[in-house]
Amino acid sequence: MATVHQWTGLEAYALGRALRMSVRAYAEYLGVAPRTVTTWQQLGTSTVPRPDTQAILDVALSRADAAVHLRFETILSELAYAASLGPRVTTSGPRLWEYETWDDDLARVVVALSRQSFAFAEQLLTRWQHRWPARDLDDRGLYLYGRTTALLGDLRRDQGALLGPMSARRDYSDARSIFAQLDIPRRVAQLDLSLAVVTEMSGNLGQAAHTYEALAVDDRLSPRDRSRARLWVGTALSKDGEHDYAARVMAVAVRDFETQNEPDDWSVGHQKLALARRGAGDLATALRLIDIARSTGSTGSPLQKVRLDTAHGHILLSDPATVDDGLRTLDGAARLAAQVGLTHQLRAIEGIRRTGREMDQPADTATRENL
């Protein structure tokens, strides 16, 4: 809300107009003489109300609703501009209409991130994150600030900036602190899940799997989020070489997604199951599962298309008969990943290619290179 550090006749008159009161009604409302209000109108900044009247005006402004505040700031700005004066009020935090705009922009960020429009999403997020210090925000403002910080973490995670001062881990940790301060357990648990994803992507598979296991039975999370945690337990275990058990855990999550009517998660589950079966050496099942994922999954998002093509290429590369197809598929995924700035996926694709090249070398050559 607007704050007036020193009332003059200009601000006092503007408040009366914002309240849409006549001179007499406004004077009666404040407990002053009507001629005092008339003097404010005539003399403007040349007159300063007494200290007790200043306090009365402070109270009147603080009791006004958002619509009055908006009219007050508008009228005062017009009067000050006409008199060639500078800004007459300061604001310590967002106003009601700014909260609504902030919330709308966060919805736009979610859409932008789904399309990997990173530059636009970052522009929207930093616009709000740097607009007010957190100490100037009330609970609603802090909630929006926390969501902004968490979405910035999503952006940096997708770009592959996982660790360090300006990273997904830092943003997720900051957002978690905000929601803990606001005592919103569900948001705190969601940030715990996001931090576990960063831990997995950073290569600490055992710690990630342990955290996922705890969150898979955490009542603070929705059924869908608990099922996603269970699916990611399998992902971490599969990356760590425990392919058979990972597949069993993933299969439970996939059945949950079917029960919950979550088709996108169900498709992603088949994609991850396919990679677990590839790791276990069951290429026929892996191909069948990845075909299900490719035929049912959404490819409107570049990130999901890259993930699907990378998984498909990885499976094809594992069979000597389809190595060339696998390399072509991975090349296409790499081009798209580079185009939209998916650094983490590019590193993963290069790792798969490198492993494929090593497997394709004659045994004596591979042995020499590993010495």
Side-chain angles (χ1 to χ4, degrees), residues 48-354:
V48 176
R50 295 191 312 242
D52 58 334
T53 307
Q54 296 259 344
I56 292 170
L57 290 165
D58 285 338
V59 172
L61 181 60
S62 68
R63 289 177 175 173
D65 61 24
V68 172
H69 272 264
L70 179 57
R71 288 196 298 271
F72 173 64
E73 292 179 41
T74 302
I75 293 167
L76 190 55
S77 176
E78 291 171 349
L79 293 172
Y81 179 79
S84 300
L85 301 172
R88 305 299 296 176
V89 299
T90 59
T91 55
S92 60
R95 283 73 59 91
L96 179 62
W97 57 93
E98 289 173 308
Y99 281 141
E100 297 299 329
T101 304
W102 193 350
D103 195 43
D104 290 343
D105 275 354
L106 293 185
R108 296 167 71 196
V109 167
V110 171
V111 174
L113 288 178
S114 73
R115 299 170 178 169
Q116 283 70 66
S117 300
F118 295 133
F120 179 59
E122 186 169 13
Q123 176 187 350
L124 289 176
L125 290 170
T126 54
R127 171 194 301 174
W128 292 105
Q129 191 181 51
H130 298 154
R131 194 158 184 176
W132 297 281
R135 65 178 179 273
D136 289 343
L137 299 173
D138 59 15
D139 284 356
R140 183 178 179 188
L142 274 177
Y143 179 82
L144 292 170
Y145 191 90
R147 284 188 58 207
T148 300
T149 308
L151 286 169
L152 194 56
D154 291 345
L155 183 151
R156 288 175 171 153
R157 179 200 63 202
D158 289 349
Q159 289 183 311
L162 303 177
L163 307 174
M166 297 181 65
S167 67
R169 175 174 289 176
R170 176 62 181 270
D171 290 325
Y172 286 148
S173 297
D174 289 348
R176 187 189 187 282
S177 297
I178 291 169
F179 289 123
Q181 176 184 337
L182 293 171
D183 193 22
I184 306 177
R186 176 174 170 269
R187 289 289 186 182
V188 172
Q190 287 177 327
L191 268 301
D192 287 336
L193 194 55
S194 295
L195 284 164
V197 172
V198 170
T199 300
E200 178 192 335
M201 293 173 68
S202 302
N204 195 337
L205 303 176
Q207 182 181 340
H210 179 73
T211 305
Y212 288 147
E213 286 170 347
L215 292 169
V217 293
D218 193 324
D219 288 338
R220 293 176 301 169
L221 291 171
S222 67
R224 180 195 176 212
D225 281 337
R226 292 200 297 270
S227 298
R228 292 169 73 202
R230 184 173 291 110
L231 179 68
W232 294 339
V233 170
T235 302
L237 291 174
S238 182
K239 289 179 180 179
D240 211 20
E242 299 183 44
H243 304 295
D244 288 324
Y245 179 59
R248 289 167 54 196
V249 174
M250 289 180 186
V252 174
V254 169
R255 288 194 291 271
D256 287 345
F257 293 138
E258 184 171 5
T259 301
Q260 295 162 9
N261 195 25
E262 294 287 352
D264 289 341
D265 290 324
W266 184 83
S267 177
V268 170
H270 279 81
Q271 172 190 318
K272 294 185 178 298
L273 262 174
L275 290 173
R277 297 319 306 164
R278 184 214 68 83
D282 186 357
L283 296 183
T285 301
L287 283 169
R288 178 178 62 80
L289 291 169
I290 198 64
D291 283 344
I292 293 173
R294 292 174 67 216
S295 63
T296 61
S298 170
T299 56
S301 159
L303 176 58
Q304 185 54 24
K305 180 167 175 52
V306 168
R307 285 172 172 167
L308 271 171
D309 287 348
T310 301
H312 189 208
H314 196 179
I315 294 167
L316 293 173
L317 201 63
S318 303
D319 187 342
T322 56
V323 166
D324 290 342
D325 290 337
L327 289 173
R328 280 193 295 271
T329 303
L330 289 174
D331 286 345
R335 284 193 297 271
L336 180 56
Q339 179 182 335
V340 298
L342 298 172
T343 306
H344 181 78
Q345 278 66 36
L346 273 174
R347 289 197 294 262
I349 292 167
E350 182 50 40
I352 294 168
R353 284 169 166 164
R354 185 168 53 250

Side-chain angles (χ1 to χ4, degrees), residues 8-45 47-50 53 56-57 60 79:
T8 70
L10 183 73
E11 290 81 20
Y13 168 64
L15 179 57
R17 285 184 54 189
L19 289 167
R20 292 178 173 168
M21 292 182 178
S22 66
V23 169
R24 185 170 297 279
Y26 185 38
E28 184 177 343
Y29 178 68
L30 296 178
V32 299
R35 66 176 176 275
T36 301
V37 176
T38 303
T39 300
W40 292 339
Q41 179 180 357
Q42 293 172 344
L43 298 184
T45 57
T47 183
V48 176
R50 295 191 312 242
T53 307
I56 292 170
L57 290 165
L79 293 172

